[in-house]
């Protein structure tokens, strides 16, 4: 049986699944439900607090109505009378006018969805079924994730079909399954996709996760073994780098010195470096990367640094040239003038330039190196494995240094970065966390804007961060603040004369660069933006940040955003704006307010939001599968132990591991990452 045997999966969707590491119906079963709900529990509309998923039962009070708000946007609205409380509640759909068909006034229905509470209770885009004959809303409801461009409903239907036809056999030996009290894989998948009760889920999740993680850990071992040999070039004396570090305009912290020592040892060893520097916001990762590039240059080689945005590339280029003026450096972006680009390419090819800093433009045709030795990827999770491999193809198999400020729980690092040697950079380059975090209720927004305007007049700059660009992305116009709408509102209000700018990911690179240049120069005092400024942006005069709909972000992401302010001598201030009444959401934000350690915050995210947020930052071949597994420290520890037992029993026979233990997606990952 193949994926072609599953109805609803055409060629395009199958290609999409292949890109997620899904090649067979059995592979499809590894994408499990993202949430389970016991729909035997019906709530009353009077007990709903908002923000949670609830099941309500009610009588349809009148014909559903469709309101056309403007061209391209409409709202379909149902009014129900709650059977338990007698209170009215509503079901709301955005841009789905067809939903109104097929309902009868006076009939009783079950409605399941995410609740919003203000003056009324509304369920957004709910599942509605007749109470007399429910189909999904009985027993355990499984809610599937969107996979690539494939909607959750298709994934759910495909998984149900795959459960019937898949030959789901464990790759683990029977003795291991018995020894560690795991379930047979088919039994585990049956419980995950068609559970009879919530009680059977923990054992099933444990078994399915161990099956995947053991394979991934073995694949990582194979990758590391390959990377431990094969270097064909050597560097100069390491002491030259330490001497140069002493001439920097600031002193390295002890943690920076330790990490730099690990990097230099890797570079001067006989093996190819494949190291990640993992440090919190402001820890000083970039200067270590610059010193590694300096080491390559003085040893007679070239170094390349690839960053995800032109904003970051220009910032890195300016800082590198300022700190290391003796190293000829060029930069490459997609929007630069042809004459500038041609000169940079010429200098890179003939060896006149010892360093290059660029976006993914480094991967484009015509980019040729003379004598490359080091590749640095900043915020490496923004680049897929294929992009990083493409750069390695251009430069050959060289030392690789990766930088990441994305806080990852220690336990998750093993799964996400198991193929890399990881250096942890602790603390901050500055001695203290210079940011205060506070809540700003909506009633106080006017006072906050006046404060921002006053500070702007004194030269202090502000980021105002919105969760989205447009008003009606994903059909939730009334739910979230959009950058465009807020910019328009503020431009006509109290901040009209304060110097406003707008920045978001849908702008052209040249437009984004122009806005950022004005912000850096101080011409723009207040920047209304999205999370495009989350990574690496460093403007010392920007000491205020406002984050709208803060409850919609993960704690680790909020912490990264917070790291954009307080980078100069003055204290930074972050204001969290939320209208949520949900107790859990508010408690999460309180944790952020009281905690300044990104890695500790990431542990809270792992416990509350699951592993998907973290797995998604590493785009190796198994990420699509792993991001939908529920992982915790115990499962990761169990998988590590099993993989160690397998290695001990089979004496590191990697060919045997590939043949016997690695499903296709992991074998593909090993091939693509290491054997190019």
């Amino acid at each position: 049986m193949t994926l072609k045997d599953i109805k609803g999966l055409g060629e395009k969707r199958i290609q999409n699944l292949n890109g997620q590491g899904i090649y067979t119906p059995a592979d499809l079963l590894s994408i499990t439900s993202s949430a389970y709900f016991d729909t035997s529990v019906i709530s009353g509309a009077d007990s709903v607090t908002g923000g949670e998923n609830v099941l309500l039962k009610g009588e349809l009070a009148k014909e559903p109505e469709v309101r056309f708000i403007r061209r391209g946007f409409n709202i379909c609205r149902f009014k129900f009378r709650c059977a338990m409380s007698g209170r009215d509640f509503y079901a709301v759909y955005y841009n789905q006018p067809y939903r109104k068909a097929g309902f009868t006034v006076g009939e009783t229905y079950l409605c399941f969805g995410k609740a919003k509470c203000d003056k009324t209770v509304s369920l957004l885009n709910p599942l509605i079924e007749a109470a007399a004959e429910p189909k999904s809303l009985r027993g355990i409801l499984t809610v599937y994730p969107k996979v690539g461009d494939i909607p959750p409903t298709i994934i759910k239907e495909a998984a149900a079909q795959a459960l019937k036809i898949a030959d789901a056999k464990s790759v683990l030996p029977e003795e291991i399954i018995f020894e560690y009290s795991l379930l047979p894989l088919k039994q585990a998948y049956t419980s995950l996709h068609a559970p009879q009760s919530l009680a059977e889920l923990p054992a099933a999740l444990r078994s399915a996760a161990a099956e995947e993680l053991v394979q991934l850990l073995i694949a990582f071992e194979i990758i590391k073994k390959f990377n431990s040999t094969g270097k064909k070039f050597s560097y100069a004396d390491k002491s030259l780098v330490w001497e140069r570090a002493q001439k920097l305009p600031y002193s390295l912290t002890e943690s920076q010195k330790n990490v730099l020592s690990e990097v230099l040892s890797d570079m001067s060893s006989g093996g190819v470096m494949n190291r990640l520097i993992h440090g919190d916001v402001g820890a000083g990762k970039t200067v270590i990367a610059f010193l590694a590039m300096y080491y390559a240059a003085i040893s007679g080689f070239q170094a390349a640094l690839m960053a995800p945005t032109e904003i970051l590339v220009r910032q890195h280029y300016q800082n590198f040239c300022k700190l290391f003026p003796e190293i000829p450096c060029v930069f490459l972006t997609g929007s630069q003038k042809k004459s500038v680009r041609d000169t940079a390419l010429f200098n890179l090819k003939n060896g006149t330039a010892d360093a290059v800093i660029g976006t993914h433009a480094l991967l484009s045709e015509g980019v040729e190196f003379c004598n490359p030795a080091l590749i640095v990827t900043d915020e490496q999770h923004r680049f897929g494995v294929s992009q990083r491999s493409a750069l390695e193809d251009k430069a050959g198999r060289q030392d690789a240094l990766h930088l990441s400020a994305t806080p990852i729980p220690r336990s998750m690092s093993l799964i996400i970065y198991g193929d890399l040697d990881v250096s942890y950079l602790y603390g901050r380059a500055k001695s203290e966390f210079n940011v205060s975090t506070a809540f700003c209720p909506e009633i106080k927004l006017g006072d906050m804007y006046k404060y921002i305007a006053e500070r702007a007049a004194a030269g202090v700059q502000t980021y105002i961060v919105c969760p989205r660009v447009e008003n009606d992305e994903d059909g939730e116009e009334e739910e979230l603040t959009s950058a465009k709408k807020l910019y328009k509102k503020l431009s006509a209000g109290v901040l009209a004369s304060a110097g406003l700018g707008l920045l978001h990911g849908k702008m052209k690179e040249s437009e984004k660069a122009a806005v950022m240049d004005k912000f850096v120069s101080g011409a723009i005092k207040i920047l209304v933006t999205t999370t495009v400024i989350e990574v690496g942006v460093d403007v010392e005069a920007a000491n205020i940040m406002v984050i709208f709909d803060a409850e919609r972000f993960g704690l680790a992401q909020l912490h990264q955003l917070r790291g954009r302010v307080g980078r100069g001598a003055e204290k930074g201030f972050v204001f969290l704006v939320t209208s949520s009444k949900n107790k859990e959401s508010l408690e999460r934000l309180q944790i952020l307010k009281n905690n300044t350690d990104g890695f500790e915050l990431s542990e809270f995210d792992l416990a509350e939001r699951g592993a998907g947020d973290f797995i998604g930052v590493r785009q190796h071949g198994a990420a699509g599968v792993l991001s939908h597994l529920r992982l915790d420290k115990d499962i990761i520890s169990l998988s590590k132990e099993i993989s160690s037992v397998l290695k001990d029993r089979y004496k590191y026979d990697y060919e045997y591991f590939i043949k016997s233990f690695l499903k296709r997606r992991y074998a593909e990952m090993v091939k693509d990452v290491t054997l190019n």
Side-chain angles (χ1 to χ4, degrees), residues 285-350:
K285 297 175 294 297
T286 306
V287 71
I288 297 176
F290 285 175
L291 286 166
M293 294 170 69
Y294 171 82
Y295 191 24
I298 64 171
S299 300
F301 303 113
Q302 290 175 309
L305 188 155
M306 185 165 67
T309 66
E310 289 201 14
I311 294 171
L312 200 50
V313 164
R314 291 175 184 274
Q315 182 176 287
H316 282 331
Y317 174 73
Q318 291 166 2
N319 289 339
F320 184 85
C321 292
K322 181 179 179 181
L323 291 174
F324 299 92
E326 69 271 34
I327 304 299
C329 181
V330 297
F331 76 96
L332 286 172
T333 67
S335 65
Q336 65 190 151
K337 294 180 179 179
K338 185 177 183 301
S339 59
V340 176
R341 174 183 172 83
D342 288 345
T343 300
L345 291 177
F346 177 81
N347 291 335
L348 189 62
K349 183 177 180 180
N350 69 16

Side-chain angles (χ1 to χ4, degrees), residues 40 45 48 53-54 65 154 163 235 277 288 295 416 437 543 550-551 558 565 613 626 671:
S40 64
V48 176
N53 287 285
V54 296
E65 61 179 4
I154 299 298
L163 192 60
Y235 291 92
I277 301 178
I288 297 176
Y295 191 24
I416 301 171
T437 305
N543 282 314
E551 78 282 358
L558 286 170
V565 297
D613 287 354
L626 295 176
K671 174 179 71 67

